[in-house]
Amino acid sequence: MYQLSPSILAADFAVLGEQLSQVEAAGADMVHIDVMDGQFVPRISYGMPVIESIRSVTKLPFDVHLMVAEPYRFIEDFRACGADLITVHAEACTHLHSTVTKIKRCGMKAGVALNPATPVEFLRHIIGEVDMVLVMTVNPGFGGQKFIPGMLKKPGRVMELAKEEGVFCPDIQVDGGITLENIGEILKAGANNIVAGTSVFSGDIKKNISGFKEAFKNAVK
Ligand code: DX5
Ligand code: ZN
């Protein structure tokens, strides 16, 4: 029921392939890949060639988080290099509905991310079309930031909105500042897909992932 999507932004790129194998062996459910364009967010991270080269290292689905202005332009390219799920930012798409439709037409799952200041209400007329809502729990652009506690209200709002619109509730992903200390309250708030970068890749990857899996088990009880 709960899924863990480790963010490779916090990985050691000199040994990225090895770390991906470790993450898979430790029981991660997917791989979160943060693509930043230096325009929608201040930093540039990595793009298609890196994704393409790690595609053969793991069988885990690739969860690609595009922090990119007008991502509509790149949907086919990310499909071609191995994305299984693409999340675009509501704030970065002039035509969000077309972008979501295109992702699905290309054979992938579609997610929509909301910056901390963007209300869940923004998704009212397309919530039935999206497979996942990504609730940003930090402002996008950097790993290792502090979780914004006010965001804990948003997963509940996503569920209410789906109910109001009479559609199935999409998966609810949370991303930014998630640790073994705050994971309990985050699961309680209703998120079911957890992105974690720093708290997976710093120190012992296997032990860190076991910690998250344990929290998932406790939340189900
Ligand atoms: C932030 C990225 C996150 C980031 C999370 O812009 O979207 O995925 O890598 O990193 P941590 O878990 O370190 O906050
Ligand atoms: Zn991310």
Side-chain angles (χ1 to χ4, degrees):
M1 170 192 188
Y2 293 112
Q3 295 200 302
L4 181 66
S5 190
S7 164
I8 61 166
L9 192 62
D12 179 349
F13 298 125
V15 287
L16 184 55
E18 265 165 55
Q19 293 204 333
L20 277 173
S21 303
Q22 283 182 48
V23 153
E24 185 169 18
D29 300 286
M30 46 180 80
V31 179
H32 187 82
I33 302 175
D34 289 302
V35 178
M36 303 179 182
D37 69 349
Q39 189 185 340
F40 178 66
V41 290
R43 288 250 174 110
I44 294 175
S45 57
Y46 36 72
M48 294 90 172
V50 171
I51 300 175
E52 204 169 2
S53 73
I54 57 174
R55 186 54 287 187
S56 59
V57 175
T58 171
K59 289 199 170 58
L60 294 178
F62 278 2
D63 156 29
V64 178
H65 176 192
L66 294 183
M67 284 162 275
V68 169
E70 300 299 350
Y72 186 91
R73 301 172 286 161
F74 305 116
I75 303 304
E76 292 98 338
D77 293 343
F78 281 104
R79 177 56 172 163
C81 67
D84 297 285
L85 173 138
I86 288 185
T87 299
V88 296
H89 270 262
E91 308 83 4
C93 298
T94 307
H95 303 288
L96 181 59
H97 180 271
S98 310
T99 309
V100 164
T101 309
K102 187 172 181 183
I103 295 170
K104 296 205 297 185
R105 207 171 51 233
C106 288
M108 295 171 282
K109 287 197 169 175
V112 177
L114 300 175
N115 280 342
T118 305
V120 170
E121 180 65 29
F122 196 96
L123 300 178
R124 177 172 295 279
H125 302 293
I126 61 158
I127 188 146
E129 309 277 343
V130 308
D131 298 297
M132 189 175 82
V133 174
L134 165 49
V135 172
M136 288 304 301
T137 46
V138 298
N139 287 289
F142 307 91
Q145 302 181 78
K146 212 171 160 301
F147 180 82
I148 304 171
M151 296 302 113
L152 285 172
K153 285 188 194 141
K154 278 184 160 179
R157 284 295 301 126
V158 174
M159 291 183 225
E160 282 165 21
L161 184 63
K163 206 166 168 195
E164 283 166 24
E165 292 299 306
V167 298
F168 277 115
C169 189
D171 283 326
I172 303 175
Q173 186 175 62
V174 281
D175 181 10
I178 298 168
T179 64
L180 289 172
E181 281 70 53
N182 60 21
I183 183 67
E185 55 178 342
I186 289 165
L187 297 177
K188 213 178 279 170
N192 71 324
N193 186 304
I194 308 300
V195 176
T198 311
S199 53
V200 163
F201 287 97
S202 36
D204 184 338
I205 293 175
K206 192 170 171 212
K207 200 168 143 219
N208 294 338
I209 291 184
S210 303
F212 279 103
K213 292 268 151 175
E214 195 56 37
F216 292 175
K217 260 190 236 156
N218 293 336
V220 171
K221 273 175 203 162

mmCIF file of all heavy atoms in Angstrom, residues 117-163:
data_model
loop_
_atom_site.group_PDB
_atom_site.id
_atom_site.type_symbol
_atom_site.label_atom_id
_atom_site.label_comp_id
_atom_site.label_asym_id
_atom_site.label_seq_id
_atom_site.Cartn_x
_atom_site.Cartn_y
_atom_site.Cartn_z
ATOM 1 N N ALA A 117 2.869 26.770 -2.124
ATOM 2 C CA ALA A 117 1.865 27.848 -2.133
ATOM 3 C C ALA A 117 0.688 27.583 -3.066
ATOM 4 O O ALA A 117 -0.251 28.368 -3.108
ATOM 5 C CB ALA A 117 2.526 29.176 -2.514
ATOM 6 N N THR A 118 0.722 26.487 -3.815
ATOM 7 C CA THR A 118 -0.361 26.206 -4.770
ATOM 8 C C THR A 118 -1.452 25.372 -4.101
ATOM 9 O O THR A 118 -1.175 24.302 -3.568
ATOM 10 C CB THR A 118 0.195 25.440 -5.999
ATOM 11 O OG1 THR A 118 1.261 26.207 -6.551
ATOM 12 C CG2 THR A 118 -0.879 25.217 -7.050
ATOM 13 N N PRO A 119 -2.686 25.868 -4.130
ATOM 14 C CA PRO A 119 -3.759 25.115 -3.461
ATOM 15 C C PRO A 119 -4.158 23.852 -4.224
ATOM 16 O O PRO A 119 -4.080 23.806 -5.451
ATOM 17 C CB PRO A 119 -4.929 26.108 -3.423
ATOM 18 C CG PRO A 119 -4.646 27.114 -4.473
ATOM 19 C CD PRO A 119 -3.152 27.145 -4.700
ATOM 20 N N VAL A 120 -4.610 22.854 -3.486
ATOM 21 C CA VAL A 120 -5.078 21.588 -4.076
ATOM 22 C C VAL A 120 -6.254 21.845 -5.022
ATOM 23 O O VAL A 120 -6.422 21.176 -6.050
ATOM 24 C CB VAL A 120 -5.471 20.614 -2.933
ATOM 25 C CG1 VAL A 120 -6.194 19.393 -3.474
ATOM 26 C CG2 VAL A 120 -4.221 20.204 -2.144
ATOM 27 N N GLU A 121 -7.028 22.864 -4.709
ATOM 28 C CA GLU A 121 -8.200 23.253 -5.521
ATOM 29 C C GLU A 121 -7.835 23.450 -7.006
ATOM 30 O O GLU A 121 -8.656 23.254 -7.895
ATOM 31 C CB GLU A 121 -8.761 24.557 -4.925
ATOM 32 C CG GLU A 121 -9.971 25.131 -5.619
ATOM 33 C CD GLU A 121 -11.216 24.241 -5.542
ATOM 34 O OE1 GLU A 121 -11.360 23.497 -4.566
ATOM 35 O OE2 GLU A 121 -12.028 24.301 -6.491
ATOM 36 N N PHE A 122 -6.593 23.807 -7.250
ATOM 37 C CA PHE A 122 -6.104 24.027 -8.616
ATOM 38 C C PHE A 122 -6.395 22.813 -9.509
ATOM 39 O O PHE A 122 -6.520 22.931 -10.717
ATOM 40 C CB PHE A 122 -4.589 24.279 -8.549
ATOM 41 C CG PHE A 122 -3.988 24.878 -9.793
ATOM 42 C CD1 PHE A 122 -3.790 26.248 -9.915
ATOM 43 C CD2 PHE A 122 -3.607 24.061 -10.857
ATOM 44 C CE1 PHE A 122 -3.233 26.792 -11.070
ATOM 45 C CE2 PHE A 122 -3.049 24.600 -12.010
ATOM 46 C CZ PHE A 122 -2.865 25.972 -12.108
ATOM 47 N N LEU A 123 -6.473 21.616 -8.879
ATOM 48 C CA LEU A 123 -6.620 20.377 -9.651
ATOM 49 C C LEU A 123 -8.066 19.940 -9.848
ATOM 50 O O LEU A 123 -8.319 18.878 -10.407
ATOM 51 C CB LEU A 123 -5.844 19.245 -8.958
ATOM 52 C CG LEU A 123 -4.344 19.483 -8.796
ATOM 53 C CD1 LEU A 123 -3.705 18.310 -8.062
ATOM 54 C CD2 LEU A 123 -3.693 19.667 -10.167
ATOM 55 N N ARG A 124 -9.013 20.764 -9.387
ATOM 56 C CA ARG A 124 -10.425 20.324 -9.374
ATOM 57 C C ARG A 124 -10.874 19.703 -10.698
ATOM 58 O O ARG A 124 -11.436 18.620 -10.731
ATOM 59 C CB ARG A 124 -11.355 21.477 -8.989
ATOM 60 C CG ARG A 124 -12.826 21.070 -9.037
ATOM 61 C CD ARG A 124 -13.759 22.114 -8.476
ATOM 62 N NE ARG A 124 -13.586 22.355 -7.054
ATOM 63 C CZ ARG A 124 -14.098 21.589 -6.075
ATOM 64 N NH1 ARG A 124 -14.827 20.529 -6.372
ATOM 65 N NH2 ARG A 124 -13.897 21.894 -4.817
ATOM 66 N N HIS A 125 -10.590 20.353 -11.797
ATOM 67 C CA HIS A 125 -11.173 19.879 -13.059
ATOM 68 C C HIS A 125 -10.337 18.825 -13.777
ATOM 69 O O HIS A 125 -10.728 18.360 -14.849
ATOM 70 C CB HIS A 125 -11.476 21.081 -13.965
ATOM 71 C CG HIS A 125 -12.403 22.038 -13.281
ATOM 72 N ND1 HIS A 125 -13.709 21.728 -12.983
ATOM 73 C CD2 HIS A 125 -12.180 23.275 -12.752
ATOM 74 C CE1 HIS A 125 -14.267 22.726 -12.323
ATOM 75 N NE2 HIS A 125 -13.364 23.679 -12.166
ATOM 76 N N ILE A 126 -9.214 18.466 -13.191
ATOM 77 C CA ILE A 126 -8.438 17.404 -13.857
ATOM 78 C C ILE A 126 -8.095 16.258 -12.907
ATOM 79 O O ILE A 126 -7.411 15.319 -13.304
ATOM 80 C CB ILE A 126 -7.135 17.919 -14.512
ATOM 81 C CG1 ILE A 126 -6.188 18.534 -13.501
ATOM 82 C CG2 ILE A 126 -7.414 18.893 -15.633
ATOM 83 C CD1 ILE A 126 -4.758 18.535 -14.027
ATOM 84 N N ILE A 127 -8.583 16.319 -11.688
ATOM 85 C CA ILE A 127 -8.166 15.295 -10.713
ATOM 86 C C ILE A 127 -8.520 13.875 -11.188
ATOM 87 O O ILE A 127 -7.785 12.923 -10.926
ATOM 88 C CB ILE A 127 -8.695 15.598 -9.289
ATOM 89 C CG1 ILE A 127 -8.068 14.628 -8.291
ATOM 90 C CG2 ILE A 127 -10.224 15.585 -9.208
ATOM 91 C CD1 ILE A 127 -7.807 15.166 -6.937
ATOM 92 N N GLY A 128 -9.592 13.755 -11.948
ATOM 93 C CA GLY A 128 -9.980 12.438 -12.461
ATOM 94 C C GLY A 128 -9.041 11.912 -13.535
ATOM 95 O O GLY A 128 -9.077 10.742 -13.894
ATOM 96 N N GLU A 129 -8.175 12.763 -14.049
ATOM 97 C CA GLU A 129 -7.254 12.381 -15.144
ATOM 98 C C GLU A 129 -5.866 12.009 -14.630
ATOM 99 O O GLU A 129 -5.057 11.477 -15.378
ATOM 100 C CB GLU A 129 -7.043 13.556 -16.117
ATOM 101 C CG GLU A 129 -8.307 14.201 -16.629
ATOM 102 C CD GLU A 129 -8.882 13.443 -17.813
ATOM 103 O OE1 GLU A 129 -8.156 12.643 -18.426
ATOM 104 O OE2 GLU A 129 -10.071 13.654 -18.093
ATOM 105 N N VAL A 130 -5.564 12.366 -13.383
ATOM 106 C CA VAL A 130 -4.173 12.180 -12.934
ATOM 107 C C VAL A 130 -4.025 10.915 -12.088
ATOM 108 O O VAL A 130 -4.917 10.523 -11.347
ATOM 109 C CB VAL A 130 -3.606 13.422 -12.177
ATOM 110 C CG1 VAL A 130 -3.799 14.692 -12.973
ATOM 111 C CG2 VAL A 130 -4.207 13.575 -10.807
ATOM 112 N N ASP A 131 -2.878 10.254 -12.270
ATOM 113 C CA ASP A 131 -2.598 9.034 -11.516
ATOM 114 C C ASP A 131 -1.998 9.353 -10.147
ATOM 115 O O ASP A 131 -2.079 8.550 -9.226
ATOM 116 C CB ASP A 131 -1.613 8.159 -12.305
ATOM 117 C CG ASP A 131 -2.187 7.725 -13.644
ATOM 118 O OD1 ASP A 131 -3.203 7.013 -13.637
ATOM 119 O OD2 ASP A 131 -1.643 8.132 -14.696
ATOM 120 N N MET A 132 -1.342 10.499 -10.052
ATOM 121 C CA MET A 132 -0.674 10.836 -8.790
ATOM 122 C C MET A 132 -0.640 12.359 -8.592
ATOM 123 O O MET A 132 -0.457 13.105 -9.558
ATOM 124 C CB MET A 132 0.762 10.291 -8.829
ATOM 125 C CG MET A 132 1.484 10.381 -7.498
ATOM 126 S SD MET A 132 3.103 9.594 -7.589
ATOM 127 C CE MET A 132 4.059 10.917 -8.312
ATOM 128 N N VAL A 133 -0.855 12.772 -7.361
ATOM 129 C CA VAL A 133 -0.642 14.184 -7.010
ATOM 130 C C VAL A 133 0.610 14.222 -6.146
ATOM 131 O O VAL A 133 0.721 13.465 -5.174
ATOM 132 C CB VAL A 133 -1.850 14.763 -6.238
ATOM 133 C CG1 VAL A 133 -1.552 16.175 -5.750
ATOM 134 C CG2 VAL A 133 -3.102 14.754 -7.116
ATOM 135 N N LEU A 134 1.551 15.073 -6.528
ATOM 136 C CA LEU A 134 2.773 15.229 -5.737
ATOM 137 C C LEU A 134 2.652 16.499 -4.899
ATOM 138 O O LEU A 134 2.637 17.612 -5.440
ATOM 139 C CB LEU A 134 4.004 15.298 -6.659
ATOM 140 C CG LEU A 134 5.327 15.809 -6.070
ATOM 141 C CD1 LEU A 134 5.667 15.137 -4.758
ATOM 142 C CD2 LEU A 134 6.464 15.573 -7.062
ATOM 143 N N VAL A 135 2.541 16.298 -3.607
ATOM 144 C CA VAL A 135 2.484 17.425 -2.673
ATOM 145 C C VAL A 135 3.920 17.776 -2.289
ATOM 146 O O VAL A 135 4.586 17.002 -1.582
ATOM 147 C CB VAL A 135 1.653 17.041 -1.422
ATOM 148 C CG1 VAL A 135 1.759 18.126 -0.350
ATOM 149 C CG2 VAL A 135 0.201 16.769 -1.789
ATOM 150 N N MET A 136 4.401 18.917 -2.771
ATOM 151 C CA MET A 136 5.765 19.328 -2.408
ATOM 152 C C MET A 136 5.754 19.787 -0.953
ATOM 153 O O MET A 136 4.958 20.639 -0.566
ATOM 154 C CB MET A 136 6.256 20.472 -3.299
ATOM 155 C CG MET A 136 6.589 20.087 -4.731
ATOM 156 S SD MET A 136 7.799 18.753 -4.928
ATOM 157 C CE MET A 136 9.242 19.404 -4.079
ATOM 158 N N THR A 137 6.676 19.221 -0.180
ATOM 159 C CA THR A 137 6.738 19.583 1.237
ATOM 160 C C THR A 137 7.957 20.470 1.521
ATOM 161 O O THR A 137 8.287 20.733 2.676
ATOM 162 C CB THR A 137 6.717 18.305 2.110
ATOM 163 O OG1 THR A 137 7.634 17.349 1.558
ATOM 164 C CG2 THR A 137 5.340 17.674 2.110
ATOM 165 N N VAL A 138 8.614 20.890 0.432
ATOM 166 C CA VAL A 138 9.631 21.961 0.457
ATOM 167 C C VAL A 138 9.425 22.714 -0.859
ATOM 168 O O VAL A 138 8.714 22.237 -1.738
ATOM 169 C CB VAL A 138 11.093 21.423 0.500
ATOM 170 C CG1 VAL A 138 11.357 20.615 1.757
ATOM 171 C CG2 VAL A 138 11.428 20.599 -0.750
ATOM 172 N N ASN A 139 10.071 23.865 -1.000
ATOM 173 C CA ASN A 139 10.057 24.522 -2.309
ATOM 174 C C ASN A 139 11.031 23.777 -3.201
ATOM 175 O O ASN A 139 12.165 23.498 -2.795
ATOM 176 C CB ASN A 139 10.441 25.996 -2.165
ATOM 177 C CG ASN A 139 9.308 26.782 -1.530
ATOM 178 O OD1 ASN A 139 8.271 26.996 -2.155
ATOM 179 N ND2 ASN A 139 9.474 27.153 -0.276
ATOM 180 N N PRO A 140 10.616 23.428 -4.426
ATOM 181 C CA PRO A 140 11.470 22.579 -5.256
ATOM 182 C C PRO A 140 12.758 23.278 -5.679
ATOM 183 O O PRO A 140 12.819 24.497 -5.746
ATOM 184 C CB PRO A 140 10.590 22.300 -6.476
ATOM 185 C CG PRO A 140 9.630 23.429 -6.538
ATOM 186 C CD PRO A 140 9.377 23.828 -5.113
ATOM 187 N N GLY A 141 13.770 22.470 -5.933
ATOM 188 C CA GLY A 141 15.023 23.030 -6.439
ATOM 189 C C GLY A 141 16.267 22.519 -5.741
ATOM 190 O O GLY A 141 17.350 22.554 -6.318
ATOM 191 N N PHE A 142 16.123 22.065 -4.518
ATOM 192 C CA PHE A 142 17.291 21.633 -3.745
ATOM 193 C C PHE A 142 16.920 20.429 -2.881
ATOM 194 O O PHE A 142 15.805 20.364 -2.372
ATOM 195 C CB PHE A 142 17.768 22.740 -2.795
ATOM 196 C CG PHE A 142 18.012 24.059 -3.477
ATOM 197 C CD1 PHE A 142 17.000 25.000 -3.574
ATOM 198 C CD2 PHE A 142 19.251 24.343 -4.041
ATOM 199 C CE1 PHE A 142 17.207 26.214 -4.221
ATOM 200 C CE2 PHE A 142 19.472 25.553 -4.682
ATOM 201 C CZ PHE A 142 18.446 26.493 -4.778
ATOM 202 N N GLY A 143 17.873 19.538 -2.691
ATOM 203 C CA GLY A 143 17.699 18.460 -1.720
ATOM 204 C C GLY A 143 18.091 18.984 -0.337
ATOM 205 O O GLY A 143 18.638 20.081 -0.207
ATOM 206 N N GLY A 144 17.776 18.200 0.676
ATOM 207 C CA GLY A 144 18.253 18.503 2.022
ATOM 208 C C GLY A 144 17.608 19.692 2.713
ATOM 209 O O GLY A 144 18.176 20.251 3.653
ATOM 210 N N GLN A 145 16.397 20.101 2.274
ATOM 211 C CA GLN A 145 15.727 21.217 2.943
ATOM 212 C C GLN A 145 14.838 20.716 4.078
ATOM 213 O O GLN A 145 14.592 19.530 4.218
ATOM 214 C CB GLN A 145 14.859 21.985 1.946
ATOM 215 C CG GLN A 145 15.598 22.541 0.755
ATOM 216 C CD GLN A 145 14.640 23.311 -0.145
ATOM 217 O OE1 GLN A 145 14.265 24.448 0.129
ATOM 218 N NE2 GLN A 145 14.215 22.674 -1.227
ATOM 219 N N LYS A 146 14.326 21.689 4.834
ATOM 220 C CA LYS A 146 13.491 21.359 5.989
ATOM 221 C C LYS A 146 12.025 21.215 5.563
ATOM 222 O O LYS A 146 11.499 22.058 4.839
ATOM 223 C CB LYS A 146 13.621 22.503 7.017
ATOM 224 C CG LYS A 146 13.514 22.048 8.427
ATOM 225 C CD LYS A 146 13.866 23.201 9.376
ATOM 226 C CE LYS A 146 13.325 22.981 10.761
ATOM 227 N NZ LYS A 146 11.893 22.829 10.902
ATOM 228 N N PHE A 147 11.411 20.148 6.023
ATOM 229 C CA PHE A 147 9.991 19.859 5.787
ATOM 230 C C PHE A 147 9.119 21.026 6.264
ATOM 231 O O PHE A 147 9.343 21.566 7.346
ATOM 232 C CB PHE A 147 9.647 18.587 6.575
ATOM 233 C CG PHE A 147 8.237 18.128 6.447
ATOM 234 C CD1 PHE A 147 7.832 17.376 5.362
ATOM 235 C CD2 PHE A 147 7.305 18.438 7.438
ATOM 236 C CE1 PHE A 147 6.517 16.942 5.252
ATOM 237 C CE2 PHE A 147 5.992 18.008 7.324
ATOM 238 C CZ PHE A 147 5.602 17.262 6.229
ATOM 239 N N ILE A 148 8.124 21.421 5.454
ATOM 240 C CA ILE A 148 7.208 22.512 5.839
ATOM 241 C C ILE A 148 5.947 21.902 6.464
ATOM 242 O O ILE A 148 5.120 21.300 5.756
ATOM 243 C CB ILE A 148 6.814 23.374 4.598
ATOM 244 C CG1 ILE A 148 8.077 23.917 3.900
ATOM 245 C CG2 ILE A 148 5.875 24.499 4.998
ATOM 246 C CD1 ILE A 148 7.801 24.587 2.546
ATOM 247 N N PRO A 149 5.782 22.024 7.783
ATOM 248 C CA PRO A 149 4.694 21.303 8.474
ATOM 249 C C PRO A 149 3.292 21.652 7.970
ATOM 250 O O PRO A 149 2.399 20.800 7.977
ATOM 251 C CB PRO A 149 4.843 21.713 9.946
ATOM 252 C CG PRO A 149 6.181 22.345 10.064
ATOM 253 C CD PRO A 149 6.610 22.811 8.711
ATOM 254 N N GLY A 150 3.083 22.880 7.499
ATOM 255 C CA GLY A 150 1.754 23.282 6.998
ATOM 256 C C GLY A 150 1.271 22.408 5.850
ATOM 257 O O GLY A 150 0.069 22.356 5.561
ATOM 258 N N MET A 151 2.194 21.708 5.193
ATOM 259 C CA MET A 151 1.822 20.867 4.041
ATOM 260 C C MET A 151 1.084 19.597 4.452
ATOM 261 O O MET A 151 0.511 18.910 3.611
ATOM 262 C CB MET A 151 3.072 20.493 3.225
ATOM 263 C CG MET A 151 3.770 21.679 2.602
ATOM 264 S SD MET A 151 2.661 22.609 1.520
ATOM 265 C CE MET A 151 2.497 24.144 2.430
ATOM 266 N N LEU A 152 1.097 19.286 5.734
ATOM 267 C CA LEU A 152 0.420 18.071 6.216
ATOM 268 C C LEU A 152 -1.087 18.103 5.963
ATOM 269 O O LEU A 152 -1.739 17.063 5.947
ATOM 270 C CB LEU A 152 0.689 17.875 7.714
ATOM 271 C CG LEU A 152 2.087 17.358 8.077
ATOM 272 C CD1 LEU A 152 2.295 17.406 9.582
ATOM 273 C CD2 LEU A 152 2.284 15.927 7.565
ATOM 274 N N LYS A 153 -1.630 19.300 5.735
ATOM 275 C CA LYS A 153 -3.076 19.413 5.473
ATOM 276 C C LYS A 153 -3.426 18.969 4.056
ATOM 277 O O LYS A 153 -4.569 18.661 3.758
ATOM 278 C CB LYS A 153 -3.499 20.889 5.561
ATOM 279 C CG LYS A 153 -3.592 21.435 6.949
ATOM 280 C CD LYS A 153 -4.207 22.832 6.883
ATOM 281 C CE LYS A 153 -3.994 23.535 8.203
ATOM 282 N NZ LYS A 153 -3.679 24.949 8.039
ATOM 283 N N LYS A 154 -2.443 18.994 3.174
ATOM 284 C CA LYS A 154 -2.784 18.833 1.757
ATOM 285 C C LYS A 154 -3.228 17.428 1.339
ATOM 286 O O LYS A 154 -4.155 17.318 0.538
ATOM 287 C CB LYS A 154 -1.628 19.323 0.886
ATOM 288 C CG LYS A 154 -1.623 20.832 0.698
ATOM 289 C CD LYS A 154 -0.506 21.214 -0.269
ATOM 290 C CE LYS A 154 -0.717 22.567 -0.875
ATOM 291 N NZ LYS A 154 0.391 22.915 -1.789
ATOM 292 N N PRO A 155 -2.602 16.343 1.816
ATOM 293 C CA PRO A 155 -3.102 15.025 1.388
ATOM 294 C C PRO A 155 -4.597 14.853 1.678
ATOM 295 O O PRO A 155 -5.356 14.350 0.823
ATOM 296 C CB PRO A 155 -2.247 14.041 2.198
ATOM 297 C CG PRO A 155 -0.963 14.791 2.410
ATOM 298 C CD PRO A 155 -1.387 16.229 2.637
ATOM 299 N N GLY A 156 -5.042 15.306 2.823
ATOM 300 C CA GLY A 156 -6.469 15.228 3.170
ATOM 301 C C GLY A 156 -7.314 16.019 2.194
ATOM 302 O O GLY A 156 -8.418 15.597 1.805
ATOM 303 N N ARG A 157 -6.809 17.166 1.770
ATOM 304 C CA ARG A 157 -7.540 18.005 0.801
ATOM 305 C C ARG A 157 -7.656 17.297 -0.555
ATOM 306 O O ARG A 157 -8.648 17.413 -1.243
ATOM 307 C CB ARG A 157 -6.856 19.373 0.634
ATOM 308 C CG ARG A 157 -7.078 20.354 1.758
ATOM 309 C CD ARG A 157 -8.561 20.774 1.872
ATOM 310 N NE ARG A 157 -9.085 21.388 0.645
ATOM 311 C CZ ARG A 157 -10.175 20.987 -0.008
ATOM 312 N NH1 ARG A 157 -10.894 19.962 0.443
ATOM 313 N NH2 ARG A 157 -10.555 21.591 -1.115
ATOM 314 N N VAL A 158 -6.581 16.563 -0.932
ATOM 315 C CA VAL A 158 -6.625 15.819 -2.201
ATOM 316 C C VAL A 158 -7.747 14.770 -2.127
ATOM 317 O O VAL A 158 -8.553 14.631 -3.057
ATOM 318 C CB VAL A 158 -5.270 15.143 -2.513
ATOM 319 C CG1 VAL A 158 -5.367 14.265 -3.760
ATOM 320 C CG2 VAL A 158 -4.156 16.186 -2.671
ATOM 321 N N MET A 159 -7.812 14.072 -0.994
ATOM 322 C CA MET A 159 -8.847 13.036 -0.843
ATOM 323 C C MET A 159 -10.238 13.651 -0.899
ATOM 324 O O MET A 159 -11.138 13.123 -1.557
ATOM 325 C CB MET A 159 -8.656 12.307 0.489
ATOM 326 C CG MET A 159 -7.403 11.463 0.518
ATOM 327 S SD MET A 159 -7.333 10.592 2.092
ATOM 328 C CE MET A 159 -5.655 10.863 2.513
ATOM 329 N N GLU A 160 -10.409 14.779 -0.215
ATOM 330 C CA GLU A 160 -11.725 15.447 -0.221
ATOM 331 C C GLU A 160 -12.106 15.878 -1.638
ATOM 332 O O GLU A 160 -13.243 15.711 -2.059
ATOM 333 C CB GLU A 160 -11.692 16.704 0.671
ATOM 334 C CG GLU A 160 -11.796 16.407 2.159
ATOM 335 C CD GLU A 160 -11.387 17.619 3.003
ATOM 336 O OE1 GLU A 160 -11.414 18.768 2.475
ATOM 337 O OE2 GLU A 160 -11.031 17.405 4.173
ATOM 338 N N LEU A 161 -11.131 16.427 -2.336
ATOM 339 C CA LEU A 161 -11.411 16.917 -3.696
ATOM 340 C C LEU A 161 -11.844 15.765 -4.615
ATOM 341 O O LEU A 161 -12.803 15.893 -5.372
ATOM 342 C CB LEU A 161 -10.171 17.628 -4.261
ATOM 343 C CG LEU A 161 -10.345 18.272 -5.632
ATOM 344 C CD1 LEU A 161 -11.388 19.392 -5.594
ATOM 345 C CD2 LEU A 161 -9.009 18.848 -6.132
ATOM 346 N N ALA A 162 -11.146 14.625 -4.513
ATOM 347 C CA ALA A 162 -11.502 13.470 -5.344
ATOM 348 C C ALA A 162 -12.934 13.032 -5.019
ATOM 349 O O ALA A 162 -13.727 12.726 -5.916
ATOM 350 C CB ALA A 162 -10.513 12.337 -5.117
ATOM 351 N N LYS A 163 -13.252 13.051 -3.737
ATOM 352 C CA LYS A 163 -14.596 12.653 -3.309
ATOM 353 C C LYS A 163 -15.635 13.632 -3.865
ATOM 354 O O LYS A 163 -16.656 13.218 -4.430
ATOM 355 C CB LYS A 163 -14.625 12.643 -1.777
ATOM 356 C CG LYS A 163 -15.641 11.714 -1.216
ATOM 357 C CD LYS A 163 -15.412 11.485 0.257
ATOM 358 C CE LYS A 163 -16.633 10.788 0.846
ATOM 359 N NZ LYS A 163 -16.627 10.870 2.299
#
